[in-house]
Amino acid sequence: METKKQDVRIGFYVCHCGHNIASMVDCPAVAKYAEKLPGVVLSRDYKYMCSDPGQELIAQDIREHKLNRVVVASCSPLLHEHTFRGATEKGGLNPFYFHMVNIREHNSWVHTDREEATAKAKDLTRAAVERVAHHRALEVKKVPIHPDVLVVGGGIAGIHAAMTLAKAGKKVYLVEREPSIGGHMAKFDKTFPTLDCAACILTPKMSEVGAHKNITLWTYSDVIKMDGYVGNYTVTVKRKPRYINEDLCTGCQECISSCVFKEPKFADEFNENLGKRKPVYIPFPQATPQVVLIDPDVCLNFKRGVLTDKCKKTCVEACGEKKAIDFKQTEKLEEIKVGTIIVATGFKTFEAERIPQYGYGRYPNVYTALEIERLVNASGPTAGDVVMRNGQHPKSIGIIHCVGSRDKKTNRWCSRVCCMYSMKLAHLLKEHTEAEIYNFYIDMRTPGKGYEEFYDKLLTEGVHFVRGRVGEVTDWAFTPEEEGKLVIRVEDTLAGYVRRIPVDMVVLSTGLEPHTDSQDVRRLFNMSCGSEGFFLERHPKLAPVNTFTDGIYLAGCCQGPKDIPDTVAQAGAAAAEAMVLIDKGFVEQEPNTAFILETECSGCKSCIPLCPYSAITFVEERKTATINEALCKGCGTCVGACPSGSIVQNLFEDEEIFSEIEGVLVQ
Amino acid sequence: MKYSYFPGCSLKGTGRAYEESLLPVFRAMDIELEELEDWNCCGATAYMAVDEVKACVMASRNLAIAEKAGHKELVAPCNACYLVLNKTKHYLHESPSVKRVIDAALKQGNLTYTGNVPVRHPLDVLVNSVGLDEVKKRVKQPLKGLKVAPYYGCQIVRPYSTFDDQYNPTTMDRLLEALGATVVTYPLKTRCCGGSLTGTLPEPGLLCSYILLKEAIKRGADVVATICPLCQFNLDGYHDKIEAKWESVRIPTVYFSQLMGLAFGLPAQELGLHRGFVPMKSLPAQTVAA
């Protein structure tokens, strides 16, 4: 519906926003000024336009004064554009006949001269009035949401999100890269500050996931491709061969005990390489799914990963009638359709070798915290006996905090969990050994429920706390007592001098980092990263689990370091956000998308690589480009770049923009 | 290939064994070192502590001469010179007020400096520009069985670690291995040798040297290899005093260039090896030369 210029009937409203605007802008004067502008038939100032009576005023005026355009000068469109479009629609007009002027964030809040601020409000008003005359009626399109959800990553975040959705009756695909779900939490011995056993609280959830009818669990699998848009994603998952038919394996593990390798011989990844496993193995006793896998790099039936079929295959014999072992298995691609995706890909721990002065990798008795988790664990490689790599039991242990955290040379951020897990390990090591235990910290950071109380408890348990960043861990001795020990050199900033503390064992509390392939994952799911490489949430406070791509949510440490309680809370929130879309059934799409005037398009393709959302494709038959409205976010890049001017963007048409510019410039 | 060469005072005095070995080794590598004409004190020693800007003026005159000489890079074998020259470059780049003083001083001597001459340590040049393959090609008598403690000292990595890790440098380790030597694990690589303290406050100064030597022996080293004349001087020159105070830790301390020369088959006498207070024992029985 085109409106002729002489038929335009604009209603103008200027909001006081209490004192927010009125203290710096003379609102009645702006209203009075607007009255005389072309097309304005009604002009008012009002204390709170966003209030119910304010909105009602607009609707009523549209009906009574036959308005066909509405302009409100108030706050940022981010805050209330939606509100006023609603009021416009309520009055019986297409909501896109509304336009908003920001005289708060762009004016009253940032200026100090009332007169000039008022003049600026008048200029902006004039621009909006000129612009709104050219507005056209637009339609909000509804896109249906596919009800299935993909959860990427099977740590505690992914597990909790998947379970929450499954319990609500949603179908979930849970994809995990490792052979079992459980993530880092499965490796932990106890959890702070309550000291409940990590396995006891995690493994029931893991088996629930494995058994739930609404969850399709694909472990040892990678997401390799994602296409589509919110509500309609097509995802390709690569399922790596484990040389075991998952449907046939019962988890009896007969194959493991009858493997031609009588003793476990190969580094056991789950135990941080402190233990050994066989070529056919199950990562840990409670692994989910309870399905073994074969490592082709060390299995004798393969040579460098290629099947040679030269082994006696005692495993196949042992498997017998079940026939679960399949050496010919190859990688398989599965394509699934989902409406929403939760990314919960977790973190990796800082590589302690990157700080050579702490001696990790050089001195055998320097450990990472994750290694200690396995060492104190009853199901770990030593069944909970804290025995060092030299076979002895430590008499003294130094725990160094902030390794790869709060350090300009490595990672600047605080990893949030290390103070607490260091104290937890101090407590557990005290339980498991006779050792004197020292904690070396910069600051103790214990902001969590029961955390400070846990610190108090440790202080009374006789653990030493030395405030100071450790300079080096070395093996050169100064005194006879230091001979054969690891010497921790540190400036004790409370005592005010440099100390040398000889210990038997050093534990490095390594920080949390984004995965090495986080940039690939970011591109895969069209997300953004912060400067440190963690995935970026849409808003740090008000949209902490959303990403900038609709329908894709974040949970857990892939968004930033956090402890288990926060991870679980965030996973629940991500599941809830996904359900908002699923239960609504559709998404409304802003109509400010771009479209191509096919008759004008020369098919030069210059717009295609510029689109950040991959929304533009080339139609070979017509030799023109076309824009997928569902993918277009209305950024306008292509509109500006098109050499023939054949791309138009709704709400940002040339006429609209030029008249707005004219309005602001011509007094 | 040709480099400008800034010997500094040490290489003409207490550290002459360094120059005596460095020059033939570079010749053997087919690299020409052209000594700067009319060079002056680098600005290290006491100047730095008394008036930093004056020290930088001294250094910048050498930089200006090097720039005028027209070779692409300047080799400074003494770690103190290396540090002061690099520090001066840093100031010229970062501090306009220091640059103004320096420029004015240089102008008095009809000199200018535009900041284009990189200052390199010979260790860096040999390993990173020439390469270990070229070094290996020239090894005639591999140092098989010789256990070396690689000692870098502080100035090569602090505050600038231009070509190696600040805490665990490995450039010399790799060079020594290329010569066939066995490098012992020596985490004291960058610990203080005592610096000038051996002259001013002998007790803490000597303690530093003592620890370095004691630990080198403890770790089975036959010899300590150094890249700095002051380190060599401190570790080699005070054995009597150290022995009087603690115990005998008589282990030879030589320049990396001397070990290179030996491996290249140059005679020990021509490498200044006779100048050390603790003589280096002859090389362990040679296996068949490569």
Side-chain angles (χ1 to χ4, degrees):
Chain A
M1 183 184 85
E2 288 286 326
T3 318
K4 288 202 183 103
K5 187 107 185 179
Q6 62 269 28
D7 299 335
V8 164
R9 295 177 64 78
I10 302 170
F12 175 75
Y13 303 85
V14 53
C15 177
H16 292 222
C17 195
H19 289 297
N20 277 303
I21 295 171
S23 64
M24 193 47 62
V25 173
D26 184 348
C27 296
V30 175
K32 204 152 178 247
Y33 171 78
E35 246 171 27
K36 299 194 183 73
L37 292 172
V40 175
V41 294
L42 179 147
S43 177
R44 300 181 193 273
D45 64 298
Y46 193 75
K47 197 157 188 181
Y48 288 109
M49 279 309 295
C50 61
S51 65
D52 272 351
Q55 292 182 51
E56 190 47 45
L57 193 61
I58 297 175
Q60 215 178 322
D61 285 347
I62 293 172
R63 288 190 291 263
E64 280 176 17
H65 298 271
K66 303 207 168 8
L67 303 178
N68 54 21
R69 299 285 189 282
V70 175
V71 173
V72 176
S74 57
C75 53
S76 161
L78 269 181
L79 211 61
H80 278 310
E81 187 174 56
H82 194 73
T83 313
F84 296 129
R85 276 184 183 165
T88 308
E89 196 171 18
K90 209 171 155 202
L93 274 186
N94 181 290
F96 298 94
Y97 281 133
F98 163 79
H99 190 64
M100 193 159 177
V101 187
N102 183 353
I103 56 164
R104 196 178 72 173
E105 284 84 345
H106 285 182
N107 194 350
S108 68
W109 276 0
V110 290
H111 293 307
T112 48
D113 185 317
R114 193 174 152 90
E115 213 165 291
E116 285 189 75
T118 304
K120 179 173 173 183
K122 288 177 185 170
D123 290 346
L124 294 171
T125 297
R126 206 169 51 239
V129 165
E130 287 290 336
R131 178 194 223 274
V132 80
H134 299 280
H135 274 208
R136 289 188 298 118
L138 296 169
E139 221 179 296
V140 174
K141 290 220 171 85
K142 287 182 178 175
V143 181
I145 298 281
H146 193 290
D148 295 356
V149 187
L150 166 68
V151 177
V152 189
I156 181 59
I159 289 172
H160 187 77
M163 273 315 296
T164 308
L165 289 160
K167 280 185 197 160
K170 314 300 173 201
K171 293 255 186 288
V172 182
Y173 295 93
L174 177 58
V175 176
E176 163 61 44
R177 136 162 56 190
E178 300 296 328
S180 168
I181 56 169
H184 280 97
M185 187 177 170
K187 297 185 176 185
F188 299 162
D189 183 45
K190 304 246 165 103
T191 55
F192 60 76
T194 44
L195 295 173
D196 35 2
C197 142
C200 311
I201 58 176
L202 178 66
T203 52
K205 277 182 91 97
M206 287 165 58
S207 35
E208 233 183 313
V209 165
H212 205 289
K213 64 176 175 27
N214 286 342
I215 298 179
T216 305
L217 174 60
W218 286 336
T219 58
Y220 213 42
S221 303
D222 289 319
V223 175
I224 55 166
K225 197 167 160 224
M226 182 200 84
D227 282 324
Y229 47 89
V230 54
N232 298 276
Y233 290 113
T234 306
V235 177
T236 312
V237 179
K238 180 172 89 184
R239 306 196 61 201
K240 294 173 272 189
R242 55 206 298 158
Y243 304 103
I244 301 290
N245 187 325
E246 279 185 49
D247 300 329
L248 302 178
C249 176
T250 59
C252 71
Q253 304 185 25
E254 288 290 327
C255 49
I256 302 179
S257 39
S258 55
C259 174
V260 290
F261 284 96
K262 291 277 172 290
E263 292 300 322
K265 200 183 154 192
F266 307 100
D268 176 1
E269 300 88 348
F270 183 78
N271 279 322
E272 295 292 302
N273 301 332
L274 293 171
K276 300 262 188 273
R277 62 160 170 82
K278 292 185 179 181
V280 55
Y281 68 105
I282 191 153
F284 56 104
Q286 305 94 331
T288 305
Q290 274 285 311
V291 172
V292 300
L293 75 155
I294 290 172
D295 177 355
D297 288 334
V298 292
C299 172
L300 288 187
N301 213 30
F302 294 86
K303 193 169 184 186
R304 286 188 210 99
V306 180
L307 186 66
T308 56
D309 224 13
K310 283 191 176 147
C311 179
K312 280 195 291 187
K313 293 190 281 281
T314 43
C315 54
V316 177
E317 245 166 70
C319 190
E321 278 310 294
K322 286 178 285 217
K323 292 194 167 54
I325 300 178
D326 175 10
F327 285 110
K328 296 207 169 62
Q329 204 173 61
T330 51
E331 97 184 12
K332 203 160 95 189
L333 298 184
E334 306 259 12
E335 199 179 276
I336 53 172
K337 294 220 177 292
V338 294
T340 47
I341 297 173
I342 295 176
V343 178
T345 49
F347 64 95
K348 81 179 196 9
T349 50
F350 176 81
E351 290 136 2
E353 292 94 336
R354 282 175 59 196
I355 304 187
Q357 64 270 34
Y358 288 169
Y360 183 78
R362 196 146 42 97
Y363 303 125
N365 293 336
V366 178
Y367 289 80
T368 65
L370 209 48
E371 288 172 337
I372 300 298
E373 293 279 359
R374 297 312 300 153
L375 223 46
V376 293
N377 196 303
S379 64
T382 56
D385 184 20
V386 180
V387 57
M388 297 186 296
R389 289 193 177 96
N390 65 4
Q392 291 172 357
H393 291 98
K395 297 266 184 313
S396 47
I397 303 171
I399 302 177
I400 303 178
H401 293 213
C402 297
V403 178
S405 302
R406 305 184 68 194
D407 177 2
K408 283 182 185 166
K409 288 196 173 151
T410 55
N411 297 328
R412 294 174 69 113
W413 60 87
C414 166
S415 295
R416 283 190 60 189
V417 292
C418 319
C419 281
M420 287 304 294
Y421 82 56
S422 299
M423 287 197 288
K424 173 195 76 180
L425 291 177
H427 172 87
L428 294 174
L429 287 166
K430 205 139 182 80
E431 249 177 23
H432 287 246
T433 68
E434 303 280 301
E436 282 294 317
I437 297 177
Y438 300 85
N439 270 270
F440 301 91
Y441 67 97
I442 310 176
D443 298 291
M444 288 305 295
R445 295 193 165 173
T446 57
K449 200 173 180 181
Y451 290 9
E452 184 69 13
E453 293 89 324
F454 187 71
Y455 178 26
D456 279 345
K457 176 179 143 80
L458 264 283
L459 288 170
T460 60
E461 281 179 5
V463 173
H464 305 277
F465 286 86
V466 179
R467 199 187 85 175
R469 172 161 234 142
V470 170
E472 74 173 331
V473 175
T474 183
D475 65 345
W476 65 265
F478 202 56
T479 59
E481 299 82 65
E482 289 179 359
E483 290 290 347
K485 301 261 186 185
L486 292 168
V487 179
I488 294 175
R489 295 181 64 231
V490 60
E491 182 190 0
D492 186 331
T493 56
L494 293 180
Y497 68 102
V498 176
R499 295 175 70 177
R500 296 173 55 88
I501 298 178
V503 294
D504 295 323
M505 182 188 220
V506 170
V507 181
L508 303 180
S509 298
T510 47
L512 275 52
E513 276 187 340
H515 271 296
T516 30
D517 61 353
S518 65
Q519 289 298 329
D520 300 334
V521 176
R522 177 188 74 76
R523 275 188 286 274
L524 187 65
F525 294 110
N526 228 332
M527 299 183 292
S528 309
C529 278
S531 56
E532 68 295 313
F534 291 110
F535 302 140
L536 199 62
E537 63 283 352
R538 181 174 281 184
H539 189 282
K541 294 169 187 75
L542 301 180
V545 299
N546 303 67
T547 65
F548 288 95
T549 306
D550 293 332
I552 296 186
Y553 308 98
L554 297 171
C557 288
C558 63
Q559 180 260 343
K562 57 181 66 67
D563 56 16
I564 296 169
D566 284 4
T567 296
V568 170
Q570 204 186 19
E577 288 284 353
M579 280 191 275
V580 167
L581 282 190
I582 299 167
D583 288 354
K584 194 176 175 194
F586 60 88
V587 273
E588 285 180 350
Q589 282 211 305
E590 272 291 299
N592 63 344
T593 48
F595 59 92
I596 288 178
L597 303 171
E598 271 165 30
T599 47
E600 317 261 316
C601 174
S602 67
C604 74
K605 298 186 190 174
S606 37
C607 54
I608 294 173
L610 293 175
C611 177
Y613 306 98
S614 313
I616 315 180
T617 46
F618 189 71
V619 186
E620 276 303 334
E621 306 89 73
R622 287 201 308 262
K623 302 276 180 230
T624 59
T626 182
I627 296 175
N628 182 339
E629 260 185 308
L631 288 177
C632 175
K633 293 272 181 295
C635 71
T637 310
C638 59
V639 184
C642 178
S644 60
S646 47
I647 309 183
V648 180
Q649 187 178 352
N650 288 327
L651 281 177
F652 293 92
E653 292 182 32
D654 287 355
E655 255 196 332
E656 292 166 351
I657 293 177
F658 288 136
S659 55
E660 191 174 11
I661 295 172
E662 209 175 281
V664 84
L665 295 177
V666 182
Q667 294 208 356
Chain B
M1 218 182 317
K2 206 168 184 179
Y3 289 85
S4 285
Y5 167 54
F6 178 78
C9 63
S10 291
L11 271 81
K12 301 291 180 187
T14 52
R16 59 195 293 189
Y18 195 0
E19 182 173 72
E20 283 167 357
S21 54
L22 193 70
L23 296 180
V25 161
F26 266 71
R27 260 198 305 280
M29 298 297 300
D30 306 311
I31 306 167
E32 202 175 319
L33 292 180
E34 190 182 275
E35 190 169 324
L36 286 186
E37 207 172 304
D38 192 29
W39 56 267
N40 55 265
C41 169
C42 70
T45 65
Y47 283 105
M48 221 10 136
V50 177
D51 187 337
E52 220 178 359
V53 179
K54 282 209 174 65
C56 289
V57 169
M58 308 273 282
S60 61
R61 181 171 178 276
N62 294 315
L63 292 170
I65 295 172
E67 195 168 276
K68 211 168 151 189
H71 302 310
K72 249 174 69 189
E73 298 182 322
L74 176 65
V75 170
C78 167
N79 290 14
C81 304
Y82 174 81
L83 178 61
V84 174
L85 292 168
N86 271 310
K87 199 176 198 172
T88 302
K89 278 171 67 87
H90 180 85
Y91 274 135
L92 283 166
H93 202 256
E94 300 287 325
S95 166
S97 62
V98 175
K99 189 176 182 327
R100 269 195 299 278
V101 178
I102 290 176
D103 285 346
L106 288 178
K107 207 174 162 194
Q108 300 264 314
N110 290 326
L111 287 167
T112 50
Y113 180 67
T114 58
N116 286 332
V117 182
V119 178
R120 308 273 310 268
H121 194 276
L123 180 66
D124 176 27
V125 170
L126 287 169
V127 175
N128 298 320
S129 296
V130 183
L132 292 177
D133 288 337
E134 287 297 312
V135 172
K136 277 183 200 158
K137 274 188 211 162
R138 289 162 176 84
V139 173
K140 294 202 178 73
Q141 287 190 298
L143 307 177
K144 282 265 154 55
L146 185 72
K147 291 194 212 126
V148 190
Y151 176 58
Y152 295 75
C154 62
Q155 301 189 98
I156 201 75
V157 289
R158 290 193 201 102
Y160 315 113
S161 43
T162 41
F163 66 92
D164 210 336
D165 185 86
Q166 193 148 35
Y167 294 94
N168 184 30
T170 54
T171 310
M172 179 164 42
D173 298 33
R174 286 180 281 130
L175 176 69
L176 292 169
E177 273 160 10
L179 301 177
T182 307
V183 177
V184 302
T185 308
Y186 193 61
L188 301 87
K189 279 176 178 182
T190 62
R191 248 187 90 78
C192 179
C193 68
S196 325
L197 284 178
T198 36
T200 52
L201 280 173
E203 192 159 328
L206 291 174
L207 180 63
C208 289
S209 302
Y210 164 60
I211 289 169
L212 290 174
L213 294 164
K214 181 184 86 155
E215 287 293 326
I217 295 171
K218 195 171 102 185
R219 286 153 207 277
D222 302 315
V223 58
V224 177
T226 148
I227 60 172
C228 168
L230 186 59
C231 295
Q232 199 277 339
F233 182 75
N234 277 335
L235 295 190
D236 192 40
Y238 293 96
H239 281 287
D240 290 346
K241 285 186 178 164
I242 289 172
E243 187 171 350
K245 200 152 177 51
W246 295 285
E247 59 181 314
S248 169
V249 282
R250 287 181 195 272
I251 176 173
T253 302
V254 301
Y255 294 102
F256 76 101
S257 46
Q258 292 178 301
L259 293 178
M260 279 186 90
L262 284 180
F264 287 179
L266 305 172
Q269 284 295 313
E270 288 172 26
L271 296 167
L273 273 162
H274 57 291
R275 296 197 191 276
F277 287 110
V278 179
M280 195 178 143
K281 289 192 203 91
S282 57
L283 286 178
Q286 292 295 336
T287 46
V288 181

